Amino acid sequence: MVRLLLVLLSLFALGCSEPQRPVPRRDAEYPPPKTLAFLRPVGELCAKETGVTSAAIVRFSDADIFEDDRALKCYMDCMFRLTNVTDDRGELHMLKLLEHVPPEFEDIALRMGVRCTRAKGKDLCERAFWYHKCWKLSDPVHYYLV
């Protein structure tokens, strides 16, 4: 009887506690400063092209995944297009992506991307969003969007 009571209390405690959301890594070394410096001008061009807000970019990158922002999805596609890491069908080329990742962070990028190889979506914006969502779910600590 005591054992049953302990099990029930444990289950109750687990159900009542809110799961801890992983904290994105943001420090002097991560995201990699050279990568940020390369991507910021591209991001500015894509923000102008798509009309995405900086608040939407930060929210997706550092907080939660939300799927109701078409401008954000097309911003992600624009970033892929201007960095030449996808083809005309929106298929990601991991080796091209790795060209923009410092060697010391390649393992993180590869682990993040290993589960994210078969994009779904009706158009290029949806497919780009699929990759970003998959990466963020795969490794929310190291995922970032510029």
Side-chain angles (χ1 to χ4, degrees), residues 50-128:
T50 63
V52 70
T53 66
S54 58
I57 295 166
V58 170
R59 178 181 166 198
F60 189 90
S61 183
D62 295 350
D64 60 335
I65 294 172
F66 56 99
E67 302 193 22
D68 59 348
D69 191 329
R70 179 76 179 164
L72 178 67
K73 294 175 182 182
C74 291
Y75 171 83
M76 293 169 174
D77 172 58
C78 179
M79 294 288 288
F80 281 166
R81 201 169 12 90
L82 294 186
T83 56
N84 197 33
V85 297
T86 54
D87 63 22
D88 58 352
R89 296 170 313 194
E91 294 293 327
L92 182 79
H93 296 282
M94 194 63 174
L95 292 177
K96 287 184 179 182
L97 180 71
L98 286 173
E99 290 174 9
H100 303 293
V101 176
E104 63 270 27
F105 298 110
E106 284 179 356
D107 287 346
I108 292 170
L110 288 169
R111 281 192 309 269
M112 191 182 297
V114 74
R115 291 186 217 128
C116 307
T117 58
R118 299 193 181 172
K120 296 169 184 61
K122 64 183 182 216
D123 60 30
L124 296 175
C125 297
E126 292 287 331
R127 293 172 73 78

Side-chain angles (χ1 to χ4, degrees), residues 6 9 14 16 18 29 43 51 83 88 105 113 115 119 126 130 134 137 140 142:
L6 288 173
L9 286 173
L14 287 174
C16 290
E18 192 171 309
E29 298 301 315
T83 56
D88 58 352
F105 298 110
R115 291 186 217 128
E126 292 287 331
W130 183 92
C134 185
L137 289 170
H142 292 104

Side-chain angles (χ1 to χ4, degrees), residues 27-39:
D27 56 51
E29 298 301 315
Y30 199 89
K34 288 181 182 178
T35 303
L36 291 177
F38 168 74
L39 289 176

